Amino acid sequence: MATIYDVSVLAGVSLATVSRVMNKNAKVSEKTEKKVLDAMAQLGYRPNAIAQSLASNCSNSVGVLVSELRGHFYGSMMSGIEAEFRIAHKHVIIAAGHSEEQLEKEGIEFLISRRCDALILHVEAVSDEYLIELCKGSIPVILINRYIEQIEDRCVHLNNELGGYIATKAVIDQGHRDIAYIAGPYWKEDAQNRLHGHKRALAEHGLTFHEQLVFEGDYREESGAKGFRALHDTNLPFSALVCANDEMASGAMDAVRGKGLSMPNDMSVMGFDNNVLANYMFPKLSSVDYPIAEMGHMAAKMVLKQCYQSPQTNLNNIFDPKLVLRDSISLR
């Protein structure tokens, strides 16, 4: 098996020069770099990443923990993160926490054990106190889609309350006065904040909030369908349905058709996330754009600045959602 010494002999350079070429941490002339790379190729030499990380105390890898691996939302977030690190010649190691406290903690411990230089965490079940303590450690931590006041400079998050507000205000502005709501699971902070925004929009327009016209879903399609059927069975009148994400909205739209109702004439529907499929539903789904890919890019840029001293500019922690009106909302 070839060694770094064999590479230096064949290339006719010092061990230090070979190390600089491999680590890309110092300038080497193109001619010298080519000699080293050619020698590595001729010998079939592969640098030992673990040994390199132990020697340099830098693995050039970042751990990313997400709640799920399925769906457009998480795919967009991970793509944004990975794209930023790819440009910087860093790699990502991904684990999933499945919104369970023990699994999230195990995922974090796994990423730390892989000698990741930093962590980007999309976690929902571990406590604020756990994350505050984690941020006191030596590994830089960035939280995405989570806000904790004590470590707000580590948080990249969406103004979910504003998102819930503009979603409901949009249907009110179209003349709707009887509005039902399918919420995300109440134990999730983003679901609570979106519901608070919904209530604020109703109150500002003098409309009554009815508990019977709210259904707690789980962000999955089937709970959207179940939610609409439950709300319809209350026999309370409503002409518009606001959903806390697009996946539940798609399930609700299927249930609306199942009741023999048309959209948007009989029932207007509003989503949240602006999933790529929203533009291909029938009718095209009005939604609130959640810039999760941009937030992924921003979380990566914060790591690059904090961990690798990359000269990043225009860093910001909070993102505002934007309304996207399509065909699923009718005038009343």
Side-chain angles (χ1 to χ4, degrees), residues 255-315:
V256 169
R257 294 188 186 91
K259 293 291 184 180
L261 302 174
S262 67
M263 292 173 287
N265 295 330
D266 296 327
M267 184 62 56
S268 291
V269 180
M270 170 67 72
F272 197 114
D273 284 344
N274 195 30
N275 187 302
V276 66
L277 296 178
N279 202 43
Y280 298 96
M281 295 180 187
F282 182 77
K284 294 182 179 183
L285 179 64
S286 296
S287 190
V288 173
D289 185 62
Y290 191 141
I292 189 60
E294 295 176 38
M295 292 167 66
H297 280 280
M298 184 60 64
K301 287 179 179 180
M302 292 173 71
V303 167
L304 290 170
K305 183 177 180 65
Q306 291 184 19
C307 188
Y308 301 108
Q309 290 73 55
S310 175
Q312 301 292 330
T313 58
N314 299 321
L315 298 178

Side-chain angles (χ1 to χ4, degrees), residues 36-89:
V36 172
L37 294 177
D38 286 346
M40 291 172 63
Q42 185 176 333
L43 294 169
Y45 177 75
R46 293 281 188 275
N48 187 315
I50 295 175
Q52 280 184 291
S53 68
L54 288 171
S56 65
N57 201 30
C58 179
S59 67
N60 286 314
S61 61
V62 176
V64 179
L65 183 69
V66 295
S67 295
E68 300 288 346
L69 298 175
R70 61 179 286 278
H72 172 262
F73 179 87
Y74 296 106
S76 295
M77 179 174 68
M78 289 186 286
S79 292
I81 292 170
E82 193 276 334
E84 205 67 44
F85 285 132
R86 186 172 65 253
I87 294 170
H89 305 293

